[in-house]
Amino acid sequence: MRKNWPEANKDVYIRVLKEETPAYLHTAYDTYPFTVFQDLIYVDQQGNVRPWIETDEFKKDAQFFREAYTRKLINPDILTVPKELESKEESNGRFLYTSLFYR
């Protein structure tokens, strides 16, 4: 998008909701459907329970976001930018495009 509209001089970010597990990615996994409870507990359709961070699905999520971060598709200040500031920047049209996902 930046290449097509260089005169816009705006950022293109995937907006990451820190409070949400990225369920929109999960539908693409072969193991879907499953649930991640409070970003800690993985529960599959057979009722098996595992720590979320020990699953292959968590590793796939981490790989996706690492690649997005290195491609500068995630705000470089993701760990420190206040949610209110990011929302304000978005409302003011600072981003050429944001992808906001809810579950």
Side-chain angles (χ1 to χ4, degrees):
M1 292 185 78
R2 268 188 239 147
K3 187 167 68 174
N4 290 337
W5 291 285
E7 69 281 355
N9 194 28
K10 296 185 180 187
D11 294 322
V12 180
Y13 289 137
I14 297 171
R15 184 166 179 207
V16 179
L17 298 176
K18 297 173 184 119
E19 305 83 20
E20 297 287 333
T21 302
Y24 55 89
L25 292 176
H26 300 165
T27 59
Y29 299 161
D30 292 337
T31 54
Y32 187 80
F34 57 86
T35 298
V36 179
F37 181 70
Q38 294 186 348
D39 291 336
L40 295 173
I41 302 166
Y42 169 94
V43 183
D44 67 19
Q45 288 298 304
Q46 290 74 38
N48 299 311
V49 176
R50 297 177 50 202
W52 170 234
I53 63 170
E54 294 178 5
T55 65
D56 289 336
E57 293 80 4
F58 175 83
K59 292 172 187 169
K60 289 178 185 178
D61 284 3
Q63 181 181 8
F64 171 84
F65 284 107
R66 177 67 182 152
E67 183 172 341
Y69 183 82
T70 58
R71 289 181 173 202
K72 300 184 189 297
L73 296 174
I74 293 178
N75 188 328
D77 297 324
I78 188 67
L79 296 177
T80 58
V81 66
K83 183 172 42 172
E84 297 79 23
L85 177 62
E86 190 174 59
S87 294
K88 182 180 175 187
E89 290 285 298
E90 184 177 26
S91 296
N92 289 336
R94 174 75 181 98
F95 304 132
L96 182 61
Y97 172 80
T98 59
S99 182
L100 178 59
F101 300 100
Y102 292 99
R103 60 174 155 160

